[in-house]
Amino acid sequence: MTRKLRILSTYVLLMVLPFSQQLIACTAITLIAADGSLIQARTQEWGPFDLRSQVMFVSRGTDLVGTTPDGKPGLAWAAKYGVIGVNANDLPVFVDGMNEKGLAVSVLYLPGFSEFQTYMPSEASNTISGAEVSLWILTTLESVEEVKTELPKINAVDVKLPSFGNIAPPIHLMVSDGNGESIVVEYTDGNLDIYDNPVGVMTNSPSFPWHLTNLRNYVGLQPQSANPVTVGKLEITPIGVGSGMLGLPGDYTPPSRFIRAAALRNTAVERETGEEVVFESFRILDNFNIPSGSTAARDEVPTDGTLGSTQWTTATDTKGLQYYYHTMANRTLRKIDLRQVDFSQGGIRFFPLDSVKEQTVEMVDINGG
């Protein structure tokens, strides 16, 4: 990129920053059970408005066409695999999802660093928008190894979406499969970057390699309490449990959440089954739930109760083919068994995350009646 173009990109970033700064609070992790089940789980935060997310279904054989910046038809393909996931803003794209082969994708924001490939009109028939990358991956591939091999063969470009402030969503992806493999996919400076994910964590900006380097600033974190030390003639002992995690950042910025997620994920006690790990992943992600109003732009006025909050949280069992979620309106855990879903027909369909937006409460009868 020339210096002139890079300055222009910076100017565009400053124009969209007030919008995107309100959004970047999603956290994703993986956990592996003793039986080999890999669970990919994430939170979804969004500041300015209700994302209007729904459960999204895509059947095998569904005809799909990518979008391009100039409106030309993009890459055309038919879904090879059925998919269940969650969309946003009534769009036929996956913000999160898993296909019937156990390949899972979570899409998170990467503002200030995401830049998809250069659009070539002559290559329109092999082009999709960045927002459609997750849809293409989930409907055509079945493993992380396939993603590494096949994704470089197509062009993914920035396409502005009116429902997202008329910007091209700056995103990156965590991808995991039933074989226990996990990667991070980022497009930066117009290039595709695929990274193995050795720590099982992803948040937002900066780019993934920066977060791995930043981990070196927290090498002293450990689950065990700190040992007593002597200062002069005074022996100092920890006041209580948890002193080994002194210095663990607790704020909502992406670097702090990455460190906190890496510490909690990589000190979690191993569980036997995928379902047990699903429950553990939700407990870990409870540490990243953002109460409505606790993060906001300076001049932002809440209008619909979603201000800065965690709108939904999901977990995918890539081996057992189970998709779990709860929402800010109802934290009761819900599950979709992909083994029981008929993916043979139906095209693209949508279903509400909450049948009624209110918390389910179980009454306890202490009278024994």
Side-chain angles (χ1 to χ4, degrees):
M1 178 182 289
T2 66
R3 183 174 183 273
K4 182 178 180 181
L5 286 176
R6 190 171 294 279
I7 291 173
L8 177 61
S9 296
T10 302
Y11 173 75
V12 173
L13 169 63
L14 292 174
M15 294 296 290
V16 303
L17 198 56
F19 180 77
S20 61
Q21 281 283 49
Q22 305 165 40
L23 319 176
I24 51 175
C26 303
T27 302
I29 62 172
T30 62
L31 285 174
I32 300 178
D35 67 5
S37 300
L38 184 145
I39 308 304
Q40 180 165 298
R42 57 85 58 84
T43 65
Q44 173 62 61
E45 284 74 31
W46 193 264
F49 52 83
D50 186 345
L51 272 175
R52 304 194 306 277
S53 292
Q54 302 166 285
V55 174
M56 179 172 160
F57 163 96
V58 178
S59 67
R60 294 183 220 107
T62 301
D63 290 324
L64 301 162
V65 180
T67 55
T68 63
D70 60 7
K72 290 183 177 180
L75 176 69
W77 77 96
K80 186 176 180 181
Y81 304 115
V83 188
I84 290 289
V86 179
N87 76 331
N89 284 2
D90 305 317
L91 297 173
V93 296
F94 286 106
V95 180
D96 191 82
M98 180 172 65
N99 69 22
E100 57 183 315
K101 294 297 183 177
L103 187 65
V105 177
S106 295
V107 178
L108 279 67
Y109 245 52
L110 189 68
F113 294 85
S114 172
E115 180 186 345
F116 283 83
Q117 294 162 316
T118 301
Y119 176 56
M120 304 292 290
S122 60
E123 296 292 325
S125 62
N126 193 43
T127 298
I128 61 175
S129 74
E132 294 163 338
V133 171
S134 57
L135 176 66
W136 183 83
I137 288 175
L138 288 170
T139 55
T140 62
L141 307 177
E142 63 177 271
S143 70
V144 162
E145 285 304 312
E146 279 196 347
V147 175
K148 292 179 177 180
T149 301
E150 300 301 319
L151 187 56
K153 297 178 181 178
I154 68 167
N155 301 321
V157 301
D158 287 315
V159 176
K160 294 179 180 179
L161 299 179
S163 59
F164 281 86
N166 202 35
I167 65 170
I171 56 175
H172 59 166
L173 303 85
M174 178 186 278
V175 185
S176 302
D177 64 24
N179 300 317
E181 300 297 321
S182 183
I183 56 174
V184 170
V185 175
E186 295 183 341
Y187 290 84
T188 57
D189 294 324
N191 298 310
L192 169 61
D193 304 307
I194 299 177
Y195 306 102
D196 290 326
N197 192 347
V199 295
V201 172
M202 190 175 83
T203 57
N204 312 106
S205 303
S207 297
F208 186 68
W210 184 96
H211 287 288
L212 295 183
T213 300
N214 188 45
L215 276 173
R216 298 171 66 180
N217 291 315
Y218 297 89
V219 293
L221 296 177
Q222 59 180 11
Q224 296 82 17
S225 294
N227 293 321
V229 297
T230 300
V231 179
K233 296 182 179 180
L234 177 67
E235 183 180 63
I236 300 177
T237 60
I239 293 176
V241 299
S243 58
M245 288 289 184
L246 279 172
L248 182 70
D251 61 81
Y252 295 126
T253 62
S256 293
R257 285 184 287 104
F258 191 99
I259 298 299
R260 193 158 73 251
L264 298 179
R265 182 265 190 196
N266 289 286
T267 57
V269 175
E270 185 179 56
R271 305 293 176 178
E272 289 297 321
T273 67
E275 186 173 63
E276 290 177 299
V277 172
V278 164
F279 301 150
E280 187 65 25
S281 70
F282 278 105
R283 282 190 286 271
I284 290 174
L285 290 179
D286 280 345
N287 291 272
F288 303 89
N289 286 334
I290 298 181
S292 182
S294 60
T295 60
R298 291 179 180 178
D299 300 323
E300 193 172 48
V301 178
T303 57
D304 61 6
T306 64
L307 180 63
S309 57
T310 303
Q311 295 194 18
W312 44 262
T313 304
T314 64
T316 55
D317 182 343
T318 61
K319 184 177 180 181
L321 300 182
Q322 310 294 307
Y323 193 84
Y324 300 78
Y325 71 90
H326 64 62
T327 71
M328 66 179 297
N330 187 351
R331 287 176 58 83
T332 299
L333 198 57
R334 280 146 283 178
K335 179 175 76 170
I336 300 171
D337 186 346
L338 272 70
R339 299 170 301 182
Q340 303 300 317
V341 175
D342 180 6
F343 287 113
S344 64
Q345 57 185 343
I348 299 176
R349 292 183 288 167
F350 302 94
F351 306 87
L353 286 172
D354 298 302
S355 55
V356 179
K357 288 191 173 184
E358 62 181 40
Q359 178 64 48
T360 302
V361 178
E362 180 180 348
M363 296 298 296
V364 178
D365 183 1
I366 63 173
N367 295 315

